Amino acid sequence: MDLMAIPVLDQHAHNLLKPDAASQTPFRAAFTEGYDPDIIAHHAPHTLFYRRSLREIAELLSCDPNEQAILARRNELGLEQLTNLCFAAANMEGVLIDDGLLPDEILPLAWHRQFVPVQRLLRLEVMAEELVGEAESFDDFLARFRAAIDPPPAEVVGVKSIIAYRSGLDVRLTSFEAAREKFDVWKVAGQGRRPRLEDKTLLDFLLMQALEIAARHQLPVQFHTGFGDPDLDLRLANPLHLRPLLENRRYRGAPIVLLHASYPFMREAGYLASVYPNVYVDMGLAVPMLSVSGMRRALQGLLELAPFSKLMYSSDAHLIPELYYLAAKWGRIILGAALEEAVRDTDLTATEADEVAEAVLRGNARTLYHLSIS
Ligand SMILES: [Zn+2]
């Protein structure tokens, strides 16, 4: 199936780097989740993803398929023209951007709006870190934290949690008193600056607060799940850890979106989407970062069980515009191949496969985030 004609609604991506930050970041750093300089310098160029992508970017930019030629061509084009080229080739009808990644080094949402309609995803842990400095007490902090999302600001269509990175997805019910005790330690450690929030008690408590508000507003909550940079313990990024939270009826009104195909826990994610009405899954990062056969297996792993009304496209693109293009290209190819196979297997009719493609690439996200992009 050729799905190129269907514009994608990218339900999770990040801002591009400011030119000065980009000049300090090796191009190949965008092709690995590792940040160890040795990984970036010596190993990132030896992945199937990187090799495939170099050829595809070179073709898009009309230059030779090597890093030097690509860097020269990118310089020639400049960031605006490069972005225009990549975004146009991605054929996007809109993008939801989590602007909590590298907040000091990225271009603002408004900059991206010259190329594509943008809505905002608010990163909870970063928001908490921004609020702690001004807060006079835990009660004051909590009031500010809650007010920031109740009701959600106009441009915010969802929130995002990186609790998988900080203390893991085994979120537990935590008392107000226990959280207040930890707050004082956290605040003192920060000395008026923006201290990193990594205490499990506080993280769990604040997430529950946010979920309760999200449930009232039917505001989708995206969770980082599965692989990511080595800041996370992959064992605790398995979405099965979320069970106590998913079983708690208090939070049922909050749609929970499991990002990154939960790779390598695709089947676990698909299972959760198949039994909990408010759980959704997403194919971002796994597509385009894996090998072609890996991407195919990741999507098949989700689709084995997950209702296709719960599956959404995203890129998780960050740092450079090329990732938006590569994700959109491979998102369509891999989805098309999976649906063709489903038709061959008699799981779907050809007409049904067309409907599923439309739903996964944009329809499901439009409905979930109440977007009216025409
Ligand atoms: Zn992301």
Side-chain angles (χ1 to χ4, degrees):
M1 290 170 76
D2 182 0
L3 308 181
M4 207 30 230
I6 306 176
V8 296
L9 178 46
D10 185 347
Q11 69 107 34
H12 176 90
H14 301 276
N15 312 53
L16 301 183
L17 284 178
K18 285 180 193 160
D20 52 332
S23 66
Q24 310 285 314
T25 310
F27 178 69
R28 57 180 68 166
F31 297 85
T32 172
E33 284 293 306
Y35 45 62
D36 187 301
D38 195 34
I39 285 283
I40 292 173
H42 304 301
H43 302 291
H46 303 292
T47 64
L48 305 188
F49 171 45
Y50 180 79
R51 294 298 170 96
R52 184 183 76 228
S53 300
L54 267 198
R55 289 194 305 276
E56 291 171 355
I57 292 168
E59 202 184 324
L60 181 71
L61 305 186
S62 312
C63 65
D64 288 339
N66 62 66
E67 206 177 284
Q68 244 180 342
I70 289 172
L71 292 178
R73 182 77 180 118
R74 293 173 101 246
N75 262 338
E76 230 171 78
L77 287 167
L79 185 59
E80 268 82 5
Q81 233 185 307
L82 175 69
T83 305
N84 208 6
L85 192 63
C86 293
F87 281 25
N91 186 17
M92 296 187 281
E93 72 171 25
V95 56
L96 314 188
I97 293 188
D98 161 13
D99 57 359
L101 179 69
L102 307 171
D104 302 324
E105 295 170 35
I106 52 175
L107 291 158
L109 295 183
W111 184 88
H112 299 75
R113 289 199 175 104
Q114 55 185 314
F115 308 103
V116 63
V118 174
Q119 306 277 357
R120 183 173 180 219
L121 300 164
L122 203 158
R123 192 183 278 213
L124 293 170
E125 292 79 8
V126 168
M127 182 181 93
E129 288 166 354
E130 279 164 2
L131 293 173
V132 65
E134 299 161 18
E136 282 163 19
S137 63
F138 183 54
D139 295 79
D140 180 32
F141 167 74
L142 191 55
R144 289 167 190 257
F145 180 84
R146 293 181 59 98
I149 49 172
D150 191 5
E155 63 170 1
V156 169
V157 296
V159 294
K160 153 92 182 287
S161 173
I162 52 159
I163 200 163
Y165 271 105
R166 298 294 173 86
S167 52
L169 295 176
D170 59 336
V171 179
R172 290 173 212 154
L173 271 181
T174 308
S175 72
F176 177 86
E177 287 72 26
R180 180 164 53 191
E181 247 171 63
K182 299 291 186 177
F183 174 80
D184 295 334
V185 181
W186 180 40
K187 172 134 175 99
V188 170
Q191 294 174 328
R193 294 190 312 275
R194 195 167 68 186
R196 185 176 150 96
L197 173 58
E198 46 195 7
D199 178 78
K200 179 166 173 54
T201 305
L202 264 176
L203 283 157
D204 287 357
F205 180 78
L206 292 176
L207 179 63
M208 295 294 186
Q209 294 285 311
L211 280 170
E212 181 255 304
I213 294 166
R216 245 185 308 113
H217 294 281
Q218 286 98 49
L219 182 70
V221 183
Q222 298 188 349
F223 279 82
H224 178 100
T225 66
F227 75 140
D229 68 53
D231 199 21
L232 72 74
D233 183 338
L234 186 57
R235 291 170 297 189
L236 295 174
N238 184 330
L240 293 182
H241 284 297
L242 291 172
R243 183 170 191 272
L245 185 154
L246 299 175
E247 280 291 313
N248 194 326
R249 297 219 155 251
R250 244 184 119 183
Y251 310 124
R252 273 290 161 88
I256 304 289
V257 182
L258 308 176
L259 296 172
H260 313 326
S262 299
Y263 179 88
F265 310 112
M266 295 83 74
R267 289 168 146 176
E268 286 85 341
Y271 164 72
L272 294 173
S274 77
V275 293
Y276 292 106
N278 57 330
V279 172
Y280 294 77
V281 291
D282 152 279
M283 61 204 266
L285 189 62
V287 178
M289 196 160 198
L290 304 179
S291 67
V292 172
S293 71
M295 293 191 283
R296 214 179 284 137
R297 280 194 296 268
L299 185 63
Q300 283 166 340
L302 292 172
L303 268 175
E304 280 176 18
L305 201 52
F308 45 76
S309 51
K310 307 280 208 100
L311 173 63
M312 291 178 289
Y313 168 80
S314 85
S315 65
D316 198 38
H318 52 289
L319 308 182
I320 60 169
E322 287 91 334
L323 291 177
Y324 280 87
Y325 164 65
L326 296 170
K329 170 177 178 167
W330 283 98
R332 290 187 179 95
I333 294 176
I334 295 298
L335 179 63
L339 294 177
E340 268 170 26
E341 192 180 10
V343 171
R344 267 199 312 276
D345 287 347
T346 70
D347 285 332
L348 293 173
T349 66
T351 313
E352 286 170 335
D354 288 337
E355 289 164 10
V356 176
E358 175 76 27
V360 171
L361 292 178
R362 58 177 174 177
N364 291 341
R366 272 186 183 180
T367 307
L368 186 64
Y369 297 93
H370 313 288
L371 300 174
S372 51
I373 298 168
S374 54

